Amino acid sequence: MNRRGFLRGAAGIGAVGAAGLAGCLERLGFEEESAWANPPLVENRPDAVYLPSSREEMRSYGTAADGDYAVALSYTFPHRFWLVNGDETELVEVSTDDSLHLMTTVWDRETRTVLPVDMQLEIRQDGSPIDDGISSPWPMISQRMGFHYGDNVRLPGEGEYTVRVRAGPVGGDLERTGGFEGRLESQGSLEVDFEYTRSDINDLSFQTIDENRWGDEGALSLMDHGDGGDHESGHGDGDIGPPPMGQAPALEDLPGESLGTERSGDAAFAALVTDADRFADGGSYLAVSPRTPYNDVLLPLTSLSATVERDGTVVGEGSLAQALDDELGYHYGLAVDELATGDRVTVTVDAPPQVSRHDGYETAFFEFEDITYTV
């Protein structure tokens, strides 16, 4: 069913008084004055990834490409999310004026690696920016969309619009190696045209999760761009293909010596050591890939440091740098002197992922214990 139908159904629940119905809906998380009332927020949420109360359909407005960059523009209902500032979260509620939740995914066309890059987004109508066009969507993670950029958006009305995305360049604190070296040094400019109609939002499917499962540790599956629904409704360059979901590569597919995957703060930390010259000429390179525990969605904008001990003596330490590599993907790395069998590597999370969160992720990835590996 669609969410409007669900709300109508909720409004017709048996013969109860108006006050009783209002109280019931309020306890369920709905507000009568809001056209886009949020689904129920799970009570007693664990400090971990958990199953939310509902699953919502997402569709595509299309894709575009410019040089090395590709972008996909997707949409769903306006809904709540949490901003992250340090160790604190701030809830962003749905406004009655919100038209839709707009999402962008930017990736490298050659490697199909989702890029955590500086991004500016402008919504235009009839050649001019709308008054409330967002300029910098939030970096976000959601259980259905993976890593992306998004925000609730207010449009002046139904009609035709153009989203102009300026992405990159990739640089600053993000090191590039292998197939990324010398690339993504310019800014990409990409445009996607779309037509907004309120009925498209109303008709999105909405599925409630069995209430007995609300808050269980686990996650919804990522959306399937090839399932005949979500992303075939859009348009764009047919050579681009469906957008990747921002998943980290499987540890067993990566080159180097695996140190295994450890859990902390309900995140999974996959680590390996490689002697490839492009990382550390004559030494070793420690690569760590934090990701969500169920769908391996990358956790960018995290601060990590590491200490290497040998026979009780510290032989190396430092902060891990954010990096892009064509084989390792997006990860955090540190060049160290050659590691020896039996060395103890301790990774510390100095700051949690500074990405906004949708339902099911907002309570996880904050309280970390040190992670230890043995070479």
Side-chain angles (χ1 to χ4, degrees):
M1 71 188 304
N2 61 38
R3 186 158 70 167
R4 180 171 291 274
F6 176 78
L7 294 176
R8 282 201 301 265
I13 301 174
V16 296
L21 175 60
C24 176
L25 292 176
E26 183 178 354
R27 287 193 299 273
L28 286 173
F30 296 109
E31 296 177 2
E32 186 178 0
E33 68 272 13
S34 174
W36 300 118
N38 278 311
L41 179 61
V42 174
E43 297 181 354
N44 302 318
R45 294 164 289 164
D47 293 331
V49 178
Y50 69 88
L51 288 175
S53 64
S54 63
R55 169 189 172 112
E56 300 176 351
E57 183 183 6
M58 302 174 186
R59 293 182 184 171
S60 173
Y61 278 137
T63 58
D66 180 27
D68 292 327
Y69 298 97
V71 66
L73 183 69
S74 306
Y75 68 95
T76 188
F77 307 103
H79 51 74
R80 63 178 167 249
F81 58 90
W82 286 260
L83 304 177
V84 175
N85 183 11
D87 294 326
E88 302 295 327
T89 60
E90 177 185 350
L91 175 61
V92 177
E93 292 280 14
V94 174
S95 166
T96 56
D97 296 328
D98 290 335
S99 304
L100 73 172
H101 187 79
L102 201 62
M103 300 165 285
T104 55
T105 302
V106 178
W107 70 95
D108 170 50
R109 296 179 68 187
E110 181 176 323
T111 63
R112 292 190 56 79
T113 301
V114 171
L115 301 173
V117 297
D118 290 336
M119 179 193 301
Q120 294 180 333
L121 183 149
E122 185 178 69
I123 304 175
R124 304 176 70 89
Q125 186 177 45
D126 298 326
S128 300
I130 65 172
D131 290 339
D132 203 30
I134 56 178
S135 57
S136 296
W138 303 103
M140 292 184 166
I141 51 173
S142 77
Q143 293 187 7
R144 295 276 284 135
M145 272 290 292
F147 173 71
H148 63 284
Y149 291 80
D151 203 350
N152 293 328
V153 174
R154 303 174 187 178
L155 300 176
E158 296 186 324
E160 296 181 353
Y161 295 87
T162 297
V163 164
R164 177 178 296 174
V165 175
R166 292 184 174 89
V170 174
D173 295 333
L174 190 58
E175 298 183 359
R176 289 161 293 154
T177 56
F180 284 104
E181 187 172 0
R183 297 181 55 239
L184 303 172
E185 294 182 335
S186 60
Q187 186 180 75
S189 180
L190 313 97
E191 293 188 355
V192 177
D193 298 323
F194 71 96
E195 182 177 3
Y196 166 71
T197 61
R198 191 173 178 86
S199 62
D200 285 343
I201 311 301
N202 292 338
D203 291 340
L204 291 170
S205 65
F206 176 83
Q207 178 185 7
T208 56
I209 307 299
D210 185 343
E211 188 171 355
N212 292 330
R213 300 178 63 202
W214 292 5
D216 286 354
E217 293 191 21
L220 302 173
S221 60
L222 291 166
M223 64 188 298
D224 182 358
H225 294 286
D227 64 2
D230 290 331
H231 276 261
E232 293 189 4
S233 62
H235 59 274
D237 188 335
D239 294 334
I240 298 174
M245 300 305 295
Q247 290 174 284
L251 183 58
E252 57 267 23
D253 296 335
L254 300 178
E257 177 188 352
S258 170
L259 300 182
T261 300
E262 302 292 339
R263 292 275 287 271
S264 180
D266 209 37
F269 291 81
L272 63 86
V273 175
T274 177
D275 296 330
D277 288 341
R278 69 180 182 275
F279 298 116
D281 188 12
S284 297
Y285 183 76
L286 171 68
V288 179
S289 173
R291 72 270 305 272
T292 62
Y294 303 103
N295 293 320
D296 288 325
V297 173
L298 64 89
L299 293 174
L301 307 177
T302 305
S303 295
L304 303 175
S305 58
T307 301
V308 180
E309 294 178 87
R310 182 177 302 150
D311 298 326
T313 301
V314 174
V315 296
E317 59 184 345
S319 297
L320 278 69
Q322 298 181 78
L324 277 174
D325 182 74
D326 59 317
E327 292 187 305
L328 302 185
Y330 176 89
H331 66 282
Y332 301 79
L334 174 67
V336 296
D337 291 337
E338 184 176 359
L339 292 172
T341 300
D343 283 357
R344 178 184 174 92
V345 178
T346 301
V347 174
T348 299
V349 179
D350 299 309
Q354 299 297 292
V355 290
S356 300
R357 324 284 183 82
H358 289 292
D359 285 26
Y361 280 147
E362 80 279 6
T363 57
F365 320 135
F366 284 108
E367 299 293 333
F368 294 96
E369 301 289 339
D370 286 351
I371 309 132
T372 302
Y373 309 89
T374 301
V375 179

